[in-house]
Amino acid sequence: MLYISQLLETHRLVPLLEAYPIGLEVISFSIGFVLDDVEASIDHYQKEFSALSQETPLTFHGPFLDLLPGTCDKKVRELARTRFEAGYQAAKTFGVKHMIFHTGYMPNTYPDVYWLENVIHFWQDFLKDKLEDCTFYVENVLDLDWQLLHQLIDAIDHPHFKVCLDVGHVKAYSRRSVNEWIQGLGDRIGYVHLHNNDGSRDAHAGLLNGTIPMKDVLSQLRVTAPDAHWSLEVSDEVELKRSIEWLMEQKLI
């Protein structure tokens, strides 16, 4: 299944959602002020999304700004838990069964062993009553390689807890190639954020506008993680449409 991320206003995405067999990855409930009054925000976005077909599949991107589930500070973890819970409750209201969250990993902050221990405990606690209702994906951002994500997924050890591989973040921030990440994580990958860049910054450019060898990467993903969902995180409307059409031309969707 292919989704497009809500990086543009909803009314600009509606024509694409009507023209192609794709879904929408909702990011509205990833922002703190939206979650401050979650009931009012749910009401607002229920009205906004009424422009979408009832058949349009939705996924949700969970809260992420300034949230650190692997921190050593208990109070900071509690804030992350509060925001994650609010995002999850909103997702349930919209009938969403797939949610993406960031790792929150900050390189060189303190030894990785402490971060990994904290983040495993955080997710074990958060997921206690949720894994039968929803599949959760943890996304790399500043992560230097795949190994901590690999260990986190294996520690939780549940088919509804997987990796969201963000290939643009790998290119911009990691010391390993996208192909190495795919090989390292294998079928732990359940969701993929697709966008391109030249390695200098996280540009969220179209699939053909960067130095990631996108055709090779997607061909490898089809073999290594054939059941993974893909989501285009492209911030330019023209490049987004071109990326969808290129995927179709290449028979990748």
Side-chain angles (χ1 to χ4, degrees):
M1 181 67 200
L2 178 69
Y3 297 86
I4 55 175
S5 180
Q6 192 194 12
L7 296 181
L8 299 165
E9 295 91 341
T10 303
H11 70 86
R12 294 169 65 186
L13 298 175
V14 169
L16 295 176
L17 293 165
E18 292 176 341
Y20 301 100
I22 57 179
L24 179 65
E25 181 182 319
V26 176
I27 66 170
S28 299
F29 290 88
S30 65
I31 309 302
F33 72 82
V34 173
L35 299 173
D36 287 339
D37 188 345
V38 70
E39 295 301 327
S41 295
I42 288 170
D43 182 63
H44 171 84
Y45 284 103
Q46 282 177 329
K47 294 173 182 174
E48 181 170 314
F49 294 160
S50 66
L52 306 178
S53 166
Q54 292 185 350
E55 305 303 316
T56 301
L58 300 179
T59 62
F60 258 45
H61 197 305
F64 64 91
L65 292 173
D66 304 315
L67 301 178
L68 304 171
T71 179
C72 288
D73 190 314
K74 179 181 177 182
K75 293 295 185 182
V76 176
R77 289 199 305 274
E78 288 175 355
L79 173 60
R81 174 67 183 268
T82 298
R83 290 303 202 195
F84 281 24
E85 289 286 358
Y88 172 70
Q89 293 305 318
K92 285 180 62 178
T93 300
F94 286 86
V96 170
K97 300 294 185 182
H98 300 272
M99 287 197 74
I100 302 95
F101 291 90
H102 288 181
T103 61
Y105 175 74
M106 303 291 288
N108 305 315
T109 304
Y110 35 74
D112 287 348
V113 64
Y114 299 147
W115 180 87
L116 183 61
E117 180 180 352
N118 291 335
V119 83
I120 288 171
H121 288 160
F122 176 92
W123 280 107
Q124 286 173 333
D125 187 49
F126 178 76
L127 296 171
K128 279 179 182 176
D129 57 350
K130 299 179 177 69
L131 282 171
E132 299 309 315
D133 297 327
C134 186
T135 299
F136 298 86
Y137 308 91
V138 184
E139 174 188 349
N140 60 292
V141 185
L142 300 179
D143 308 63
L144 301 178
D145 61 42
W146 67 86
Q147 294 179 17
L148 291 173
L149 254 177
H150 184 295
Q151 293 177 72
L152 170 60
I153 298 302
D154 285 1
I156 302 301
D157 190 24
H158 194 283
H160 288 174
F161 190 72
K162 308 198 81 171
V163 171
C164 169
L165 175 64
D166 189 301
V167 301
H169 291 165
V170 170
K171 182 65 180 180
Y173 304 123
S174 176
R175 55 196 176 197
R176 306 293 184 184
S177 70
V178 177
N179 285 339
E180 288 178 283
W181 274 74
I182 296 171
Q183 292 170 8
L185 291 170
D187 63 4
R188 295 170 185 81
I189 300 169
Y191 200 98
V192 184
H193 278 159
L194 298 174
H195 49 106
N196 214 328
N197 63 70
D198 64 5
S200 64
R201 66 186 182 93
D202 181 22
H204 285 274
L207 297 187
L208 304 180
N209 189 9
T211 56
I212 299 172
M214 200 60 70
K215 187 173 182 179
D216 291 344
V217 164
L218 296 181
S219 295
Q220 185 181 1
L221 280 167
R222 291 184 73 178
V223 173
T224 305
D227 298 325
H229 301 285
W230 295 355
S231 180
L232 288 168
E233 276 198 328
V234 177
S235 58
D236 178 85
E237 189 172 358
V238 173
E239 289 192 30
L240 176 58
K241 183 177 180 180
R242 178 68 188 110
S243 296
I244 297 170
E245 292 176 344
W246 179 79
L247 288 170
M248 297 181 72
E249 290 166 4
Q250 300 298 316
K251 301 189 185 305
L252 290 166
I253 58 171

